[in-house]
Amino acid sequence: MRYLVENFSEIMGFTATHLYLALVPLLLALVIAIPAGALVRRVSWLRRVTVTAASLAYTIPSLALLVIIPPLVGISAIDPLNVVIALTIYSTALLVIAVPAALDSVPVTVLDAADAVGYGPLRRTLTVDMPLAVPVFVSSLRVVLVTNIAMVSVGALIGVGGLGKLFTQGYQRDYPDEIIAGVIVTLALALIADRAVYALGRWATPWVRADARTAKAKGAAT
C-alpha cells in the first residue's frame, strides 16, 4: 500500500491508459457485434457458423495474436493499436454470440404482439427486441469488459502501457510491492467498471425496476 500511495499520480496515468485500451475495443466490438448478431440469429446455419468461428477466434492465445497482428496490418508491435485490435477481436467473438442469445430471451408473446400490430423486422428489432434483450445482454457485456481489463495487462509484455507495467517492472526489479499495487488497482478498476455497466443496464431498463418493486410490494402484502 505504501508504494501505491507514494506513486499515486503515476499509477493513475497507467490506469487511464489501461481503461482506454479496455473500453475502445469494447465499443468497436459493440458496433460490429450488435448488427451482426441480430442478422445471423435469423439464419440457423449462419448462426452455427458464426458461433463456431467466434469460439475458434477466442481460443487464439493473446500473446500470439499480439505478435501476429503488427506485420498483418503494418504497425509496430508496441503500438497501442496492436492491443486495441487484439481485444476487439476477442470482444467481438464473445458479443456476437451473446447478442443472439439475448434476443432469444425476448418472450414470444411480445414478438407476436409486435407482428400483429404491423411492426416490420427492422422496426421490431430496434424498438422491441433490442430493448427487451438489454438485461440479458448486459450480463455478457459485464463479462467482456472485465475480461478486457484483465487482458490489457498482457500488452505490457510487448511494451504497451497500462497497469501491466507494474507487473513487468515489479518482476524485473524484484519489487513485490509494485506487483501488489498493480493487482489492487486492476481489481478495483474491474469492480468499478462492472458496477458502472450494471448501473447503466438498470437505468436503461426502468420496467425491470418497476417489476421488482411490484413483486416486492406483493410479497409484503402477503
Side-chain angles (χ1 to χ4, degrees):
M1 290 298 293
R2 182 178 178 182
Y3 178 88
L4 181 58
V5 173
E6 292 177 348
N7 298 272
F8 185 77
S9 59
E10 181 183 26
I11 292 174
M12 286 302 98
F14 290 156
T15 302
T17 301
H18 199 101
L19 189 59
Y20 169 82
L21 292 173
L23 286 178
V24 171
L26 180 63
L27 295 176
L28 293 174
L30 286 171
V31 172
I32 299 169
I34 290 177
L39 288 173
V40 303
R41 174 175 174 257
R42 299 181 178 276
V43 185
S44 58
W45 70 266
L46 186 57
R47 180 173 178 174
R48 290 195 297 270
V49 171
T50 302
V51 169
T52 301
S55 299
L56 290 174
Y58 198 73
T59 61
I60 301 173
S62 56
L63 191 56
L65 195 59
L66 291 172
V67 172
I68 294 170
I69 289 173
L72 290 179
V73 300
I75 60 175
S76 168
I78 61 173
D79 191 324
L81 185 59
N82 188 11
V83 174
V84 170
I85 294 173
L87 290 186
T88 299
I89 292 172
Y90 288 133
S91 299
T92 303
L94 290 175
L95 292 177
V96 81
I97 298 173
V99 169
L103 292 173
D104 288 344
S105 69
V106 179
V108 176
T109 52
V110 175
L111 302 181
D112 290 341
D115 291 337
V117 297
Y119 279 38
L122 180 59
R123 184 185 178 190
R124 196 193 76 180
T125 298
L126 294 177
T127 62
V128 179
D129 296 28
M130 288 294 189
L132 292 179
V134 167
V136 174
F137 182 66
V138 164
S139 298
S140 299
L141 194 62
R142 292 166 65 188
V143 172
V144 175
L145 179 54
V146 171
T147 301
N148 277 6
I149 290 173
M151 293 184 68
V152 167
S153 299
V154 179
L157 296 175
I158 59 170
V160 178
L163 292 170
K165 280 192 172 183
L166 297 176
F167 303 139
T168 55
Q169 291 176 175
Y171 177 76
Q172 292 165 356
R173 299 171 182 173
D174 192 20
Y175 191 21
D177 287 358
E178 190 169 5
I179 298 174
I180 293 171
V183 171
I184 292 172
V185 179
T186 302
L187 285 174
L189 183 62
L191 288 172
I192 293 170
D194 177 72
R195 300 314 297 174
V197 174
Y198 173 78
L200 182 62
R202 293 279 292 177
W203 172 82
T205 54
W207 60 89
V208 174
R209 299 197 303 272
D211 289 345
R213 286 194 298 266
T214 301
K216 186 176 180 180
K218 288 181 178 179
T222 57

